[in-house]
Amino acid sequence: MSTVAKLLARKERLLAQLESDPGPNEREEIERLLAQIETALSLLAPEDGAGPSDA
């Protein structure tokens, strides 16, 4: 499994946890982890995001 696939799977699990109405401390930790995953994904796959245009 690729790094991107692993990150996406972890993101999916965290989002499911977030939907289960966690307490405030757990919610904060989940949101922190999600932010880290988003950063890692943007660094690993910059061509998928909004990059500089050719114009």
Side-chain angles (χ1 to χ4, degrees):
M1 183 182 277
S2 73
T3 301
V4 172
K6 288 178 185 177
L7 287 169
L8 290 172
R10 186 170 181 208
K11 178 180 176 181
E12 189 174 312
R13 287 191 305 272
L14 288 169
L15 288 171
Q17 285 182 324
L18 204 54
E19 290 176 1
S20 70
D21 197 28
N25 292 337
E26 188 178 0
R27 176 176 291 277
E28 186 176 308
E29 177 67 10
I30 291 169
E31 289 173 348
R32 184 184 66 78
L33 292 170
L34 285 170
Q36 287 180 347
I37 290 170
E38 287 298 324
T39 299
L41 287 170
S42 69
L43 293 172
L44 288 170
E47 68 278 357
D48 293 338
S53 67
D54 294 330

